[in-house]
Amino acid sequence: MPSSYCEAITRMEKGNVHVHYHDKEYGFPIEDDNQLFARLMLEINQAGLSWTTILNKRIISSGPSTTSTLQKVAGYGQRQTTGSCRMPASSATG
């Protein structure tokens, strides 16, 4: 059993979502408010779910029409916030 996330990554296939996250995002500083907000949303949504599920959900919902910025989300009403919390059933496994 790996003793760290970094060690676990060395045992995964190159196309695994964890490999990309580890090599391009994990531990790198974030200076853009929108990118920081996106990372915060990942962390918040992870509660009770596997990290793989969250990374896959991000891929599913990262199309240009669903890109969320801090300003955009700040202006959401009840209908938008309720709808944005739903995860497609196909991404609920991790």
Side-chain angles (χ1 to χ4, degrees), residues 2-11 22 26:
S3 62
S4 70
Y5 187 60
C6 294
E7 185 180 334
I9 295 303
T10 64
R11 300 177 184 186
H22 176 270
Y26 183 74

Side-chain angles (χ1 to χ4, degrees), residues 1 9-11 19 21 28 37 46 56 61 63 67 74 77 81 88-89:
M1 171 156 299
I9 295 303
T10 64
R11 300 177 184 186
V19 175
Y21 178 74
F28 289 84
F37 177 70
Q46 193 274 331
N56 285 331
S61 64
T67 302
T81 56

